[in-house]
Amino acid sequence: MDIPWWRDAVVYEIYVRSFADASGDGVGDLAGVRERLPYLRDLGVDAVWLTPFYPSPMADGGYDVADYRGVDPLFGTHDDFDALVAEAHGLGLRVLVDIVPNHSSSEHPWFQAALRGEGRDRYIFRDRPNNWQSTFSGPAWTQVDDGSWYLHLFAPEQPDFDWRNPEVRAEFLDILRFWLDKGVDGFRIDVAMGLFKAEGLPDVDDQSFMSVSPIWGQPEVHDVYRDWRALLDSYPGQRMAVGEVWTDSLDDLALYVRPDELHQSFNFAWLEAPWSATAFRKVINDTVATVPFATWVLSNHDVVRHRTRYGTADPGTGLARAKAALLTTLALPGSTYLYQGEELGLPEVENLPPEVRQDPVFKRSGGRLPGRDGCRVPIPWSGKGDSYGFAPEGVKPWLPQPPEFAGLSVAAQAGDPSSTLEFYRRALACRRELVPAVPYELEWLEPAGDVLVFARGPLVCALNCGTGPAPLPPHEDVLLTSGPLDGGALPPDTAVWLRRPVSQPARGARGGPG
Ligand code: NOJ
C-alpha cells in the first residue's frame, strides 16, 4: 500500500488571528501567514491547518461563520488565500482549512431568514427549551421575539444546524467542493462528534458523559462522514479530513476513523494525560490498539499550553517536560499536530486583565472560567516594538503580550542551539530523516515504572517521568536529547532518541505491557 502523506505528517496549527498581522490592524491575517511560510518550511513541518478566516462577527474568534465560502476582510481576500495555497504548495507544505458544520453564525443569511420565520427547519427551533447547557456556560437555548427557542451548544451567536434537514447536508458537501476546487489538501472538522442530536431532544441527567448522550456522537453522524470521505476520495492528491472529536474513550473515537469515514481524528487523550509514564503508556497502548492511523496532540487554541500544564509551580520544569513530551510525541507512530508558539516554548498567559479577554467562555461564565485567551496571545517574532514583530511597528496586538515574550521571540531564539526553537528544528529534521526507516509498529523495550522506553525499528525513545536519573537503554548512538544528559544517565523530565545497537534486532511487536 502507498503510504498517504498524512499518515506520518507533522501538521502545524495556525490560529490565524494570532500568528502574524501584515495589514496593521492588530489581528493576524492571511498575508501575515504568507510572509511566514518560509519560517514554517524551515521549521520542518509538512502541513498547516488554518483556523477559520471566513466572514464572521467574531463572537467566537471566527468559529461563528456567516459565509462558508468567503474570506473576512479582517483576514484578507480570496486572492490572498489563493496566493497562500500556491506559495505553500511551492514550498512543499500542504494546507488544511477548518470547517464548522455544527453551527453557523447568527448573522448567517439562513439564520437571519429563520428569525423572519423562513426556513426555520435548517436550525433547531422548539416551543420550549430542554435542560441542556451550553459548552460555554449557561443554557443552550435562547428565546426569539415570537417566543420560540433555538438551540446553541456554544454561544447564542452560534445556532446549531438541524442536520436531519437534507438541505444542510447538501450545502456542506457543496462547501467542501468549493474549497477542494481551490486546492486545499483537507479539512479540520470542528465539533465533529456534534451535528446530530437525539430525536425528541430528551433532558440529560449528567452532561459530563459524552458516550451515552443525546447531545453528542449520534450514530447518524457517521453517514455524513461516509459521504465526505467519498467526496474527498473522488479528488486527486490524497485529500483528507481530521475530526475534532472529543469522546470519553478511544473506542468511541475509533468509530470516526473507520476506513470509509474520516482519515484521522485528534487524539485528545494524549493531551489529557497527566505527567506520568503509566498514564502515557496507557494512552499509547489504547491508541495503537484502537485507531488505525494515530495522531498526537499536546496543545491547541482551546487548551492551556502544555508548558504551563506540565509546569506546576516551576516554569523551568514545565519547559523541560514540554520538550521531553515533544520528543516522545514525535517518536510515536502516526502524525503530530503542533500548535503555533509551542516551538518557542511559549507559556499560557495567565494574567490577562479581564477587560482584554475576548473568549465567550470568560464572558458567559461571568469570569468564573478564565477561557482560552491565554493560549491565543499573538506570536512574538522579534524582541522589540509594540507587538514583538507580530504587527507592523506602532500597532498594538489584539491581546497584550507579556514582557517575557521578548526573550522567547523567534529572533531571540533563532541560531541559539540551546533554544527551544532550535531544538524543535533539530527534532523535526531528525524525524524527517528517520521516518522512512522506521516501521509504523511500536515495541515496548522495558515496562520500566517511571521511565517510558519504546522502539520503532532502529529508533529507541526513552522518557523519564520519575524523580531520579535513569540508566540509558542500550544504544549505539545518542541521536537527540530534550535536555542535557547526566553522564550516562537520563535525568528526570528528559527524553532521548537513541540508535538501537545492531546486536539487538527489532521484534516489530505491536502494543505492549499495559
Ligand atoms: C472547537 C473550536 O476549536 C473552538 O475554538 C470553538 O470555540 C468550538 N469548537 C465551537 O466552534
Side-chain angles (χ1 to χ4, degrees):
M1 176 189 93
D2 265 0
I3 296 174
W5 69 269
W6 42 264
R7 192 194 76 167
D8 305 300
V10 176
V11 184
Y12 183 97
E13 178 189 354
I14 298 181
Y15 189 68
V16 179
R17 308 162 80 191
S18 301
F19 189 63
D21 169 23
S23 70
D25 58 5
V27 178
D29 46 43
L30 297 179
V33 174
R34 268 176 76 190
E35 284 173 10
R36 307 291 180 176
L37 288 173
Y39 165 82
L40 297 173
R41 189 258 331 262
D42 295 346
L43 181 61
V45 301
D46 301 298
V48 297
W49 145 32
L50 301 171
T51 56
F53 48 79
Y54 315 111
S56 166
M58 300 293 282
D60 181 23
Y63 282 93
D64 47 323
V65 179
D67 171 5
Y68 286 87
R69 296 175 187 80
V71 175
D72 197 298
L74 185 67
F75 298 119
T77 62
H78 267 298
D79 286 347
D80 291 325
F81 179 79
D82 294 340
L84 190 165
V85 173
E87 283 169 23
H89 285 168
L91 293 169
L93 296 167
R94 312 251 182 179
V95 180
L96 311 183
V97 298
D98 221 311
I99 285 294
V100 188
N102 181 69
H103 46 264
S104 71
S105 160
S106 50
E107 296 297 316
H108 189 287
W110 278 8
F111 193 73
Q112 288 299 307
L115 289 180
R116 295 192 301 270
E118 301 155 22
R120 280 208 169 172
D121 57 355
R122 296 166 177 148
Y123 293 91
I124 301 178
F125 278 83
R126 292 292 182 271
D127 293 340
R128 267 180 305 280
N130 65 10
N131 74 349
W132 297 0
Q133 295 295 296
S134 148
T135 313
F136 290 167
S137 290
W141 295 87
T142 290
Q143 196 166 26
V144 299
D145 287 348
D146 70 3
S148 56
W149 300 76
Y150 68 89
L151 176 71
H152 51 86
L153 292 182
F154 295 89
E157 296 86 351
Q158 294 167 295
D160 281 44
F161 284 114
D162 186 348
W163 271 84
R164 296 183 191 280
N165 181 336
E167 204 186 346
V168 172
R169 204 158 160 152
E171 173 69 355
F172 270 91
L173 276 172
D174 199 59
I175 292 164
L176 297 184
R177 265 187 225 109
F178 177 85
W179 293 102
L180 288 167
D181 289 342
K182 275 183 157 298
V184 304
D185 298 284
F187 301 99
R188 177 266 188 190
I189 302 163
D190 191 63
V191 198
M193 70 297 177
L195 281 54
F196 286 83
K197 285 83 194 172
E199 299 272 18
L201 308 179
D203 280 349
V204 282
D205 294 335
D206 179 349
Q207 208 166 306
S208 56
F209 295 111
M210 303 188 90
S211 297
V212 191
S213 161
I215 307 177
W216 309 111
Q218 300 305 299
E220 295 90 331
V221 78
H222 297 287
D223 268 346
V224 171
Y225 298 137
R226 289 188 188 104
D227 286 355
W228 290 16
R229 177 65 178 251
L231 178 71
L232 288 160
D233 286 351
S234 74
Y235 276 77
Q238 301 179 334
R239 316 290 175 103
M240 59 84 71
V242 53
E244 187 214 14
V245 185
W246 293 89
T247 54
D248 292 336
S249 75
L250 278 151
D251 285 325
D252 286 347
L253 190 74
L255 298 176
Y256 293 80
V257 288
R258 287 176 285 193
D260 58 347
E261 297 195 36
L262 304 179
H263 301 73
Q264 292 180 334
S265 170
F266 295 129
N267 184 359
F268 294 124
W270 188 238
L271 69 74
E272 285 171 332
W275 186 257
S276 137
T278 311
F280 288 146
R281 199 178 287 121
K282 176 164 170 40
V283 176
I284 294 169
N285 275 334
D286 289 352
T287 302
V288 296
T290 50
V291 173
F293 299 109
T295 69
W296 309 96
V297 51
L298 290 166
S299 279
N300 65 29
H301 67 281
D302 290 328
V303 300
V304 173
R305 283 187 177 275
H306 63 277
R307 171 180 175 169
T308 303
R309 280 205 321 270
Y310 294 145
T312 52
D314 166 23
T317 305
L319 184 57
R321 289 181 176 180
K323 290 165 73 177
L326 187 266
L327 209 54
T328 309
T329 303
L330 289 179
L332 291 168
S335 86
T336 298
Y337 283 79
L338 304 178
Y339 176 49
Q340 68 183 34
E342 68 168 85
E343 77 278 19
L344 305 175
L346 295 188
E348 183 82 1
V349 180
E350 291 178 301
N351 58 356
L352 289 168
E355 63 277 11
V356 304
R357 290 189 183 266
Q358 298 204 9
D359 186 355
V361 170
F362 177 74
K363 294 183 188 148
R364 283 182 61 79
S365 69
R368 191 175 47 84
L369 302 170
R372 302 159 295 177
D373 294 307
C375 64
R376 299 174 176 180
V377 174
I379 296 297
W381 292 95
S382 73
K384 299 193 240 22
D386 286 318
S387 67
Y388 302 124
F390 164 72
E393 218 12 77
V395 174
K396 292 225 185 308
W398 70 276
L399 278 175
Q401 300 147 303
E404 69 173 303
F405 270 30
L408 294 172
S409 70
V410 173
Q413 298 195 41
D416 172 359
S418 68
S419 70
T420 308
L421 175 59
E422 293 298 343
F423 163 72
Y424 265 70
R425 287 176 174 166
R426 281 196 301 277
L428 289 166
C430 189
R431 174 184 158 109
R432 196 167 269 224
E433 255 178 55
L434 287 170
V435 158
V438 299
Y440 185 85
E441 283 70 26
L442 170 143
E443 178 191 342
W444 293 108
L445 291 187
E446 297 167 48
D450 286 339
V451 185
L452 203 70
V453 191
F454 61 87
R456 290 174 63 204
L459 171 69
V460 175
C461 176
L463 166 70
N464 187 352
C465 295
T467 50
L472 284 183
H475 59 278
E476 218 161 71
D477 283 320
V478 175
L479 297 171
L480 209 56
T481 66
S482 66
L485 295 180
D486 176 4
L490 185 65
D493 303 325
T494 308
V496 64
W497 285 0
L498 304 164
R499 193 185 305 280
R500 189 181 212 167
V502 186
S503 57
Q504 191 195 47
R507 275 185 284 123
R510 202 178 156 98

